[in-house]
Amino acid sequence: MKVRTLRRRPAWPALNKHHKEIAKLTLRHLFDQDPQRGERLAVEAAGVYLDYSKNRVTDETLRLLLQLAEQSGLRENIDAMFRGDKINVSEKRSVLHVALRAPRDATILHDGQNVVPEVHAVLDRMAGFAVRVRSGTWLGHTGKPIRNVINIGIGGSDLGPVMAYEALRHYSRRDMNFRFVSNVDGTDFTEAVHGLDPAETLFIVSSKTFTTLETMTNAHTARDWLLAGFGGEQAATARHFVAVSTNAQEVAKFGIDTANMFGFWDWVGGRYSMDSAIGLSTMIAVGPESFRAMLGGFHEMDEHFRTAPFARNLPVLMGLLAVWYNDFFGAQTVAVLPYEQYLKRFPAYLQQLTMESNGKHVTRDGRRVDYDTGPIYWGEPGTNGQHSFYQLIHQGTRLIPCDFIAFARTLNPLGRHHDTLMSNVFAQTEALAFGKTEDQVKAEGTPDGLVPHRLFDGNRPSNTLLLDQLTPAALGKLVALYEHSVFTQGTIWQIDSFDQWGVELGKALAQNIIPELEAPSEPTLSHDSSTNALIRRYRKMKGAG
Ligand code: G6Q
């Protein structure tokens, strides 16, 4: 199918016109008109219930958005991804994270070869290793079992593992410590190993390329720390370092036996890799069975995305709603608000997934876009956010669509805590949608002067995602839901959601400046005057020559 540029797809001008017609409609009015709206605009799949009724949409909006999806070639693009086409055009790569969670008997081709057996071979090796570490049969250099696992990685090789460990902490080995080092700031490493015995510590060096500055710096520091604990005995590293990478050559060069390397493939993007070998720390924490259950959850959502009609397809609907606010209402951000303490790192994880994927200014064929692409994602767990930034969401001047994420059953039943937590979810979405009118404020006996301050306009949109309980499978479903929502948005904007040239720039730039900071005598600087002055001042402050 030939996809036209965004503004030339018939649904785009139709949506523009429609937006002008309905922009003033209020959720109050929409709900009054249709008493069934709250049940009608909801969809449940793979055990995830999405209530999208509190969005500023009518049936006509949804009809037009679904048309836009069709006219954008979403169906064809989904098929192309699952088929292994090289849809990451700027890097000429397939995008096959869905293969990482495909069942053993599935067939997913990459360059004519079924990748599923390789995926399961790595999963089986990871499981074998995880079981040895967990059971205490993988011994450190002096014969002690491993009690501390430290993942060294950054970006896609860190955020997923950290988020998943926090999310699944309930299922994790409580007699082991799991820590994560990502920042090249030495404080990160120093604090991570604080109080640990090298003889009981395992480092997982996670890096797709095995050349990333931060990760390699931290890996070398980890090796020095370990060797210092073993009186410099080089052989000690063998039992205390394993690698997760696609680059066997660099792994060997670092000194890790490739027998202790867990591989993945160039068709897995960093931010789509938490369910690959990059999840080794997760698997050691929760065990292979729970890890596989998580993969099962991912797969269930993949199948839903691949097969469900768009009108009942959760990631498609969420993606379309994000486009609706971003491009027609001019909303610049989306707040993600998990009412689940274990998901405290989920917004940070989503920031990379969404913004690294869709923060692009050219189309796949290199034309500059003339519409807005990826919004800013941010958030914090509820109810904490309610006591800080929700003020702006309720009464500020900006429109901030929100995703509320909640679970019917808590993992930690404690008196009235969970009902109290959930009452806040429902109260917040209700207040955002319907606000508080002048009459209501006055009826509360509010003095006239205070009435404007206590008014809530309402009409602030939100999605509510309700799941049963935060299990490993539920986590997989949630992550896959957002992955595919990002895919839906990227398809509509016609961008490459799978490259990250902006990140590559940062990787190169700092390399040029390091020698200037470390030069024994004043180096000749040829940056702009601000950068030159900052470098000179820094050198002076640290007492360099
Ligand atoms: C993710 C990005 C980026 C990457 C890190 C780490 O999609 O590409 O965040 O994951 O830069 O890269 P390495 O795994 O190669 O160290």
Side-chain angles (χ1 to χ4, degrees):
M1 165 183 166
K2 172 98 184 80
V3 176
R4 301 182 191 197
T5 56
L6 184 51
R7 291 183 187 280
R8 300 180 83 101
R9 292 172 215 155
W12 189 264
L15 276 162
N16 243 326
K17 182 161 169 280
H18 171 72
H19 173 255
K20 289 197 180 81
E21 286 158 12
I22 72 141
K24 292 226 151 46
L25 280 189
T26 62
L27 286 168
R28 217 172 247 278
H29 172 78
L30 291 170
F31 272 82
D32 283 348
Q33 272 201 329
D34 174 7
Q36 304 303 318
R37 184 180 168 97
E39 281 147 293
R40 215 165 51 75
L41 300 192
V43 46
E44 183 168 14
V48 181
Y49 179 80
L50 165 67
D51 173 357
Y52 61 100
S53 63
K54 294 193 183 87
N55 279 290
R56 291 169 66 174
V57 293
T58 63
D59 290 351
E60 177 66 1
T61 322
L62 293 166
R63 196 180 66 77
L64 289 171
L65 286 171
L66 290 166
Q67 273 183 10
L68 179 66
E70 299 289 356
Q71 292 165 12
S72 304
L74 180 59
R75 169 59 52 215
E76 291 76 2
N77 213 22
I78 293 172
D79 293 344
M81 171 168 73
F82 279 83
R83 208 171 41 222
D85 288 6
K86 299 209 163 36
I87 60 168
N88 176 355
V89 287
S90 81
E91 295 182 315
K92 298 193 178 57
R93 285 181 181 162
S94 304
V95 174
L96 277 178
H97 44 276
V98 291
L100 297 171
R101 52 262 192 157
R104 223 174 258 280
D105 57 358
T107 302
I108 297 183
L109 299 179
H110 174 254
D111 287 342
Q113 193 119 16
N114 183 13
V115 296
V116 178
E118 289 177 66
V119 166
H120 281 272
V122 174
L123 283 171
D124 292 344
R125 279 190 59 228
M126 287 166 63
F129 179 71
V131 166
R132 288 177 73 189
V133 174
R134 288 166 62 87
S135 63
T137 51
W138 175 278
L139 300 175
H141 185 62
T142 57
K144 286 188 176 178
I146 298 299
R147 290 195 49 236
N148 317 309
V149 175
I150 303 188
N151 185 74
I152 300 181
I154 197 163
S157 301
D158 166 71
L159 285 159
V162 176
M163 182 278 287
Y165 170 67
E166 291 295 344
L168 302 179
R169 194 184 264 257
H170 177 82
Y171 305 90
S172 72
R173 279 286 293 263
R174 300 300 185 136
D175 55 348
M176 294 177 72
N177 296 307
F178 292 87
R179 297 187 184 172
F180 301 84
V181 178
S182 54
N183 200 334
V184 75
D185 181 338
T187 299
D188 207 11
F189 180 84
T190 306
E191 288 296 337
V193 295
H194 187 82
L196 302 187
D197 175 359
E200 300 178 329
T201 302
L202 174 76
F203 290 99
I204 304 175
V205 185
S206 297
S207 175
K208 185 173 167 181
T209 54
F210 230 73
T211 55
T212 304
L213 175 70
E214 291 89 336
T215 301
M216 295 329 294
T217 306
N218 280 320
H220 281 106
T221 302
R223 191 166 56 189
D224 293 346
W225 176 81
L226 193 95
L227 289 177
F230 288 114
E233 209 185 321
Q234 294 289 336
T237 55
R239 310 293 299 172
H240 296 272
F241 275 86
V242 296
V244 178
S245 187
T246 56
N247 191 344
Q249 218 178 336
E250 287 295 325
V251 168
K253 220 157 94 188
F254 178 82
I256 297 177
D257 185 347
T258 47
N260 296 328
M261 165 181 154
F262 300 87
F264 59 116
W265 306 270
D266 73 355
W267 41 260
V268 183
R271 57 195 173 275
Y272 295 88
S273 67
M274 60 168 274
D275 45 345
S276 70
I278 290 289
L280 184 60
S281 58
T282 316
M283 198 193 262
I284 298 174
V286 302
E289 210 174 302
S290 290
F291 194 84
R292 287 188 199 279
M294 180 182 81
L295 297 182
F298 268 103
H299 180 66
E300 218 179 315
M301 188 55 76
D302 292 344
E303 282 304 284
H304 166 71
F305 179 55
R306 193 174 66 80
T307 58
F310 289 168
R312 303 201 59 75
N313 192 312
L314 272 76
V316 171
L317 289 168
M318 283 183 68
L320 289 173
L321 288 164
V323 169
W324 174 236
Y325 293 116
N326 188 67
D327 292 288
F328 298 95
F329 282 85
Q332 295 187 342
T333 80
V334 176
V336 181
L337 310 164
Y339 280 66
E340 169 54 78
Q341 185 63 20
Y342 286 125
L343 289 183
K344 65 181 182 191
R345 296 292 291 166
F346 193 61
Y349 172 78
L350 277 190
Q351 287 192 314
Q352 181 187 28
L353 178 66
T354 56
M355 297 203 269
E356 202 171 66
S357 297
N358 285 341
K360 308 289 162 65
H361 69 300
V362 294
T363 59
R364 294 202 276 178
D365 51 7
R367 276 173 298 109
R368 194 169 269 270
V369 298
D370 57 356
Y371 42 84
D372 276 319
T373 60
I376 298 155
Y377 277 76
W378 58 287
E380 277 287 319
T383 58
N384 297 16
Q386 290 173 210
H387 296 263
S388 65
F389 57 79
Y390 277 39
Q391 164 63 36
L392 185 148
I393 306 181
H394 280 289
Q395 287 189 308
T397 55
R398 293 170 194 281
L399 181 75
I400 302 184
C402 301
D403 290 349
F404 285 81
I405 302 174
F407 296 84
R409 289 187 301 134
T410 174
L411 291 162
N412 295 301
L414 211 57
R416 298 176 63 209
H417 280 257
H418 198 61
D419 283 342
T420 309
L421 177 73
M422 292 301 289
S423 70
N424 277 280
V425 177
F426 305 137
Q428 288 295 326
T429 63
E430 187 177 26
L432 286 169
F434 306 111
K436 206 181 228 185
T437 62
E438 198 170 327
D439 288 346
Q440 285 173 310
V441 178
K442 282 185 176 157
E444 286 172 351
T446 310
D448 282 355
L450 273 185
V451 172
H453 297 277
R454 300 187 62 168
L455 263 185
F456 290 78
D457 290 338
N459 221 15
R460 294 168 190 240
S462 64
N463 290 314
T464 303
L465 288 165
L466 189 57
L467 293 86
D468 176 42
Q469 194 168 43
L470 179 55
T471 57
L475 180 68
K477 290 172 191 181
L478 263 184
V479 174
L481 170 61
Y482 278 94
E483 285 178 349
H484 299 319
S485 164
V486 163
F487 182 92
T488 300
Q489 296 169 51
T491 300
I492 291 179
W493 293 319
Q494 230 173 1
I495 55 180
D496 187 337
S497 300
F498 302 100
D499 61 10
Q500 56 282 315
W501 297 103
V503 178
E504 310 299 336
L505 172 74
K507 288 190 181 187
L509 285 183
Q511 295 285 6
N512 302 333
I513 295 185
I514 296 172
E516 296 171 350
L517 304 185
E518 293 180 339
S521 59
E522 191 73 31
T524 315
L525 299 175
S526 51
H527 306 276
D528 58 275
S529 58
S530 157
T531 311
N532 286 346
L534 286 167
I535 292 174
R536 275 192 214 106
R537 181 163 287 261
Y538 171 71
R539 285 181 55 89
K540 208 156 139 203
M541 287 169 84
K542 73 166 188 163

